[in-house]
């Protein structure tokens, strides 16, 4: 049985299928700028039904005229297995519950200042998000996220060595700055001796 793999869509392994999903998502989200979500959903559903019913009737006519083999035009999609076994459903349910509880605990610690440094980071992030809200709305961010989801993974796979080298250089600079700040916080002394017990190697 055929299965739709999300990662295959993201990495454009099936160009035709990914193109249809990507185009549908972007066009649907862009439509929300001018129309209500009810109008968008009903219009898309109407268009899909008009297409599928027309194709089905065409194949039926061919079968009546003995010009077709009578195979359903969408049989491959009808045979797609999208069901879950009981064990798999329980597994996903448990993962969902664990994720929700973990997220709730994290939010509780952040908003109730379980860790002052983490709460301050969230405060700074929310402050920056307010500026993002002035520049664009959530729908714009969602469209950008969809485009990014379908472009960045493929770009990373094609240029992995260059991207890894670039971020490795940035990480090295960040580590260097953190080391300098750490030494300043300790009074500006020299870096700790890495040898066991602080013993200095003898010089000749």
């Amino acid at each position: 049985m055929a299965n739709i793999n999300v990662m295959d869509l993201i990495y454009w392994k099936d160009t035709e299928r990914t193109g249809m999903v990507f185009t549908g998502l972007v066009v649907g989200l862009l439509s929300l700028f001018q129309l209500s979500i009810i109008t968008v959903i009903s219009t898309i559903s109407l268009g899909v039904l008009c297409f599928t019913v027309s194709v089905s009737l065409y194949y039926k006519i061919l079968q009546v005229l003995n010009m077709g083999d009578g195979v359903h035009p969408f049989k491959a999609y009808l045979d797609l297995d999208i069901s879950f076994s009981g064990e798999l459903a329980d597994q996903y349910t448990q993962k969902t519950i664990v994720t929700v509880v973990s997220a709730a605990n994290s939010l509780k610690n952040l908003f109730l200042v379980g860790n002052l440094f983490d709460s301050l980071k969230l405060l700074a992030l929310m402050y920056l998000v307010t500026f993002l809200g002035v520049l664009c709305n959530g729908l714009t961010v969602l469209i950008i996220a969809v485009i990014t989801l379908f472009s960045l993974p493929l770009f990373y796979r094609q240029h992995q060595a260059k991207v890894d080298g670039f971020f490795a250089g940035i990480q090295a600079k960040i580590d260097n700055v953190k080391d300098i700040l750490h030494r300043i916080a300790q009074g500006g002394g020299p870096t700790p001796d890495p040898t066991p017990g602080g013993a200095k190697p003898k010089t000749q």
Side-chain angles (χ1 to χ4, degrees):
M1 294 184 182
N3 292 309
I4 298 177
N5 192 325
V6 177
M7 299 306 297
D8 289 345
L9 290 175
I10 293 175
Y11 285 106
W12 295 79
K13 291 185 177 180
D14 187 337
T15 306
E16 181 179 353
R17 178 175 293 173
T18 301
M20 292 173 58
V21 173
F22 176 68
T23 303
L25 285 174
V26 174
V27 170
L29 291 173
L30 288 174
S31 300
L32 292 176
F33 277 113
Q34 301 294 331
L35 305 170
S36 68
I37 188 170
I38 297 176
T39 303
V40 171
I41 293 176
S42 60
T43 303
I44 292 176
S45 300
L46 182 62
V48 172
L49 282 171
C50 288
F51 172 76
T52 54
V53 170
S54 300
V55 173
S56 297
L57 288 175
Y58 175 72
Y59 273 72
K60 288 289 184 182
I61 293 173
L62 290 181
Q63 181 181 1
V64 171
L65 297 176
N66 294 324
M67 298 175 61
D69 52 11
V71 177
H72 197 286
F74 305 110
K75 180 175 173 37
Y77 296 98
L78 290 172
D79 291 340
L80 285 176
D81 184 13
I82 58 175
S83 61
F84 289 113
S85 63
E87 181 180 352
L88 190 59
D90 290 339
Q91 181 181 352
Y92 279 111
T93 302
Q94 291 177 3
K95 286 183 178 180
T96 302
I97 294 175
V98 170
T99 302
V100 171
V101 172
S102 177
N105 285 328
S106 299
L107 291 174
K108 178 187 67 175
N109 291 329
L110 287 171
F111 283 98
L112 299 180
V113 198
N115 183 293
L116 179 60
F117 185 64
D118 290 339
S119 296
L120 288 176
K121 288 193 294 184
L122 178 63
L123 176 66
L125 177 61
M126 292 298 101
Y127 180 72
L128 294 175
V129 170
T130 58
F131 289 99
L132 180 62
V134 173
L135 296 175
C136 58
N137 57 28
L139 188 56
T140 303
V141 175
L142 185 58
I143 293 173
I144 295 174
V146 170
I147 295 174
T148 302
L149 178 65
F150 280 88
S151 57
L152 278 187
L154 182 62
F155 176 83
Y156 175 73
R157 171 171 287 186
Q158 294 176 343
H159 304 86
Q160 184 173 357
K162 294 180 180 179
V163 174
D164 288 345
F166 175 76
F167 281 105
I170 293 179
Q171 185 62 45
K173 292 180 181 179
I174 293 175
D175 291 340
N176 186 36
V177 172
K178 290 170 64 176
D179 182 59
I180 293 173
L181 294 175
H182 182 69
R183 279 186 282 166
I184 293 175
Q186 290 184 336
T191 56
D193 184 14
T195 57
K200 302 288 184 180
K202 294 183 180 181
T203 56
Q204 298 294 334

